[in-house]
Amino acid sequence: DRDVTGVQTCALPICPHLQARANRDFAAQNYEQAELEYRGLLRYDAEDRQVLRRLGLVYYFEGRFAFAYTVLQKASAGNPKDLDVEVKLALLKQMAGNPQDARADALAILQADPAKDDAVYILAATAIDDRDSEATIRTIDGLRGRAGDRASYHAARGMLRAADRDFPGAEAEFQAALKLDPKSAVAWAEMGNL
């Protein structure tokens, strides 16, 4: 669209094609181009939560974690119920060496959706002592009652058993995970670490 002087203008409701192009590039994993387009869109509306969300995910997938954290935090402020963003933030906290906050976030995420596998893995990976391990096992058992049996629950229990040096028990949990999901990358990777 153009204003009366012929200069192109763009307000998001008027120019949805810009966001559509950015979303296509994002879906095609053309993150460099998607980043440019999303940053351009933010010039018109710096508070657009969907654009912030996608830009934060671009940074996350590119491994630019400091940028990802900052942008995803801003996106989350407008929609704390976006569990995919919350999971990424918890993972970033875990990577940054903040396991207690990552653990608290994972628990909150699992209360909202017991099928968020990455949150289950965060919970297992941030179990620092026996008390955390026992609490995690109780949590996983409770999740089973809400979401049924899942590969992530067995893989997480296997991670905890491996940390306790119960390698036969860990292997049994990983095998159970692979029966439920033969493509479970976490179960395969963790079993390879035994």
Side-chain angles (χ1 to χ4, degrees), residues 115-127:
K116 285 291 183 190
D117 294 337
D118 283 340
V120 175
Y121 299 135
I122 293 168
L123 203 57
T126 58

Side-chain angles (χ1 to χ4, degrees), residues 67-141:
F67 288 117
Y69 185 80
T70 301
V71 175
L72 289 173
Q73 275 286 93
K74 194 170 181 181
S76 174
N79 185 10
K81 294 186 183 213
D82 184 342
L83 297 182
D84 292 329
V85 168
E86 296 304 315
V87 166
K88 296 294 188 260
L89 287 168
L91 285 165
L92 291 167
K93 288 176 184 177
Q94 180 188 357
M95 285 189 269
N98 193 347
Q100 296 301 22
D101 283 351
R103 186 173 182 76
D105 289 354
L107 284 167
I109 291 162
L110 291 168
Q111 284 300 316
D113 183 355
K116 285 291 183 190
D117 294 337
D118 283 340
V120 175
Y121 299 135
I122 293 168
L123 203 57
T126 58
I128 297 171
D129 55 27
D130 289 342
R131 192 182 73 202
D132 285 346
S133 292
E134 291 167 9
T136 300
I137 288 171
R138 283 192 307 274
T139 299
I140 291 170
D141 290 343

